[in-house]
Amino acid sequence: MSTGPAAALPHVHATSAALLADAARRAPHAPALAFGQRRLDYADYLACVAGFAGELAALGVRGGRVATVLANSLEACVAAFAVQAAGAQLVPLNPLYTARELDALLRDAQPALLLVDDSLADALAAPARAAGVGRVLALGPASRLLDAWRGRPAALPDPAPEPGDPALLQYTGGTTGRAKGVNLSHRAVMTNVAQRQALLPVEGENERVLCVMPLFHSYAMAMGLFLAAYSRACLVVLPRYHPDEVLAAIERERITIFPGSPTIFTGLMAHPAFARTDWHRVHTCYSGASALPQETLRRWREAVGAPVYEGYGQTEAGPVLSFNPAGGPVKAGSVGVAAPGTEIEIVDVESGTRVLAAGERGEIRARGPQIMQGYRDRPEETAQALRDGWLYTGDIGELDDDGYLYIRDRKKDMVIVGGYNVYPREVEEVLMLHPDVLEAAVIGRPDARRGESVHAFVALREGAGVDAEALVEHCRANLVRYKIPERIELVAALPKTGVNKIDKAALRAGGFPHAPGPAVSPESP
């Protein structure tokens, strides 16, 4: 078992509104939010949140749900705090979703109000009505901006929400089926913010955090929106991830803290301007959203000079379960130690009840105050995920003797070749060791003789001369025979989801651009 540090948590705020109010009291004139030329200090940030929250409360949203379909913007940040301050449950949705995709989520969430980017208002008005949404409010430069209350006194709605009230309804990715809404209380979300702070302390008004991840996602909220407010740092928000814009912002905005993901780190290092970018102010980087290949970690540290603290979690866990702690050893390939007050165990995949020893692989389960209340209107799936107080993550991992956690794969992604378990991440790590490989992804394919076979997709670096046959030989030198990909396909680029994870569902479905040259299948093991 791995248990988080016994040290007391830093202060746990009752709600996100209380968190922001505390920052405004302690550092009213410190820069809080930057989006292009628009800037707010903490006093103005709170005033804008309080003003909009008052409007929302007057619309009767207290005790209900408010959905947002907002791209990264000043409005997205203010609205997130304001909805919760008004006593409603925030339902952040992906602005890149089609009307069909949003229809299913809106029907599931049943929000009383929908906040949308004004560029999407016309397209979403009819789908919102069809889904039963009572009112749609457009935000943005063509309609209304949420910094209109700057310079005014801040009066948050009264009464304030209770810590046990619903704060967030966040939908999981849904790439393997219908998305599930995760119910999180104010107490769970705010406890998780304090847990993250205990492992990775961020203090002082001089810190500047770059947010390139989409703000509807749990990782961007935890490691951007709430991290900055808790620490009284300035959150610099970019509209979207684009390498040119990110590299320019690193210098222009004097960024000191950079939360990223494996695909973002890989993409930036492949950009021609990366080597010319001045990274000297960046002292800390975070990695989340998906597993970080060790080779990517090594190359990034050598190029940038700042450590990458890799963590682990999921929406159902508020979202942070573990992180490599600042001031402690950062172990390559590990996602760190359990957050304070969190227990992590590795159990057998078959029954989920037998606790395994250090070094043994099995399913990761966790319990702690940040765990979800359950899935919205999904009692059977809630009962499957939450058993005897434990969240069963569906991830395969192991703990070392020091309590550091290593993620080996997704339980559902495990490939069984002739009775042998093959974890795709291990094969991906081997492929990433080849100097010509930019990205790699591995899935299982049905196989009449062995049940399943290993299938790899590889995107090469610009100018690489390696072919698929050479990559097979590379795998033969590093893997037992049954783990060697049955087929390696060279692709122009790996497909990504809206949150920049490699989209394995798209890989299974096909229909994405391939690189020139044939795929190669080795001799069957």
Side-chain angles (χ1 to χ4, degrees):
M1 176 190 294
S2 173
T3 303
L9 282 177
H11 180 64
V12 178
H13 295 280
T15 65
S16 63
L19 179 155
L20 188 61
D22 181 67
R25 177 184 60 81
R26 298 172 66 182
H29 303 301
L33 192 57
F35 180 73
Q37 298 302 309
R38 302 169 68 198
R39 311 279 157 141
L40 293 176
D41 63 20
Y42 271 102
D44 285 336
Y45 199 179
L46 180 64
C48 294
V49 166
F52 191 45
E55 281 195 12
L56 296 175
L59 292 175
V61 302
R62 182 180 298 275
R65 285 168 296 282
V66 174
T68 60
V69 183
L70 300 170
N72 281 12
S73 62
L74 183 147
E75 278 64 42
C77 298
V78 171
F81 279 103
V83 168
Q84 294 182 340
Q89 186 179 25
L90 175 66
V91 188
L93 302 177
N94 187 344
L96 297 179
Y97 276 170
T98 64
R100 181 191 61 80
E101 291 168 312
L102 288 171
D103 176 77
L105 300 181
L106 291 173
R107 289 179 188 275
D108 188 78
Q110 298 180 348
L113 175 66
L114 175 63
L115 305 176
V116 302
D117 281 328
D118 51 27
S119 61
L120 300 174
D122 290 342
L124 295 183
R129 284 194 302 270
V133 179
R135 181 166 183 166
V136 177
L137 185 61
L139 304 176
S143 53
R144 60 175 308 190
L145 301 174
L146 295 187
D147 52 3
W149 292 271
R150 60 190 310 158
R152 301 184 191 180
L156 290 165
D158 186 44
E162 296 293 328
D165 290 345
L168 273 173
L169 179 64
Q170 284 193 304
Y171 282 87
T172 57
T175 55
T176 58
R178 200 156 58 99
K180 300 185 290 289
V182 173
N183 279 308
L184 293 163
S185 68
H186 287 276
R187 181 182 294 110
V189 175
M190 290 298 102
T191 298
N192 202 223
V193 173
Q195 289 172 317
R196 189 276 314 154
Q197 179 74 358
L199 289 175
L200 297 165
V202 178
E203 296 291 347
E205 291 88 60
N206 294 323
E207 301 290 4
R208 298 179 66 82
V209 183
L210 185 61
C211 180
V212 301
M213 305 291 283
L215 279 164
F216 72 86
H217 193 263
S218 59
Y219 177 59
M221 295 187 79
M223 303 305 293
L225 189 71
F226 294 143
L227 178 152
Y230 191 101
S231 309
R232 304 176 308 283
C234 180
L235 184 67
V236 179
V237 179
L238 295 186
R240 68 196 67 79
Y241 168 70
H242 191 283
D244 291 301
E245 296 171 13
V246 173
L247 296 173
I250 291 291
E251 295 185 358
R252 183 185 68 248
E253 297 290 350
R254 307 181 310 283
I255 298 302
T256 61
I257 297 175
F258 181 46
S261 68
T263 53
I264 286 177
F265 294 139
T266 300
L268 290 177
M269 286 190 290
H271 195 276
F274 177 77
R276 303 192 301 270
T277 302
D278 181 1
W279 291 86
H280 85 273
R281 294 185 183 87
V282 176
H283 59 72
T284 299
C285 302
Y286 306 130
S287 183
S290 59
L292 180 67
Q294 294 186 43
E295 181 64 13
T296 303
L297 174 66
R298 181 192 65 78
R299 291 180 57 238
W300 182 269
R301 179 64 187 266
E302 288 182 358
V304 173
V308 178
Y309 295 101
E310 189 174 6
Y312 166 68
Q314 52 186 214
T315 305
E316 291 89 339
V320 175
L321 284 172
S322 71
F323 247 105
N324 277 281
V330 176
K331 298 191 179 185
S334 173
V335 292
V337 297
T342 304
E343 297 173 75
I344 294 176
E345 289 184 342
I346 308 299
V347 295
D348 68 293
V349 174
E350 292 74 25
S351 72
T353 59
R354 182 169 59 87
V355 180
L356 304 181
E360 292 188 274
R361 293 185 182 184
E363 183 172 2
I364 302 164
R365 71 177 185 181
R367 63 183 175 189
Q370 73 272 43
I371 301 301
M372 70 171 179
Q373 297 166 310
Y375 295 119
R376 172 173 168 77
D377 292 340
R378 303 286 185 87
E380 292 182 3
E381 291 177 74
T382 297
Q384 181 64 25
L386 297 177
R387 287 176 262 162
D388 298 323
W390 292 93
L391 170 66
Y392 283 74
T393 66
D395 290 324
I396 301 295
E398 64 183 273
L399 293 164
D400 69 11
D401 290 328
D402 299 322
Y404 276 70
L405 178 64
Y406 296 78
I407 309 300
R408 297 310 184 195
D409 230 305
R410 286 290 296 168
K411 181 180 176 182
K412 67 177 184 294
D413 286 342
M414 185 174 69
V415 184
I416 303 177
V417 180
Y420 293 98
N421 293 348
V422 177
Y423 297 103
R425 187 181 177 190
E426 180 185 7
V427 184
E428 291 162 359
E429 291 274 5
V430 166
L431 286 165
M432 289 292 294
L433 288 173
H434 195 287
D436 284 345
V437 172
L438 178 65
E439 290 184 300
V442 169
I443 63 172
R445 292 285 198 204
D447 183 277
R449 185 166 61 88
R450 292 168 295 170
E452 288 184 291
S453 61
V454 179
H455 194 114
F457 300 85
V458 173
L460 298 176
R461 300 187 187 282
E462 187 175 353
V466 70
D467 58 15
E469 186 174 357
L471 292 176
V472 169
E473 291 302 319
H474 169 73
C475 290
R476 282 200 180 104
N478 290 277
L479 293 168
V480 68
R481 198 173 185 190
Y482 66 83
K483 296 179 183 178
I484 298 170
E486 175 73 9
R487 185 172 176 85
I488 293 180
E489 292 190 43
L490 301 183
V491 298
L494 292 176
K496 305 295 195 305
T497 67
V499 293
N500 264 314
K501 292 183 181 181
I502 292 173
D503 190 345
K504 290 195 174 182
L507 290 174
R508 293 184 181 98
F512 50 90
H514 285 60
V520 171
S521 299
E523 295 177 6
S524 298

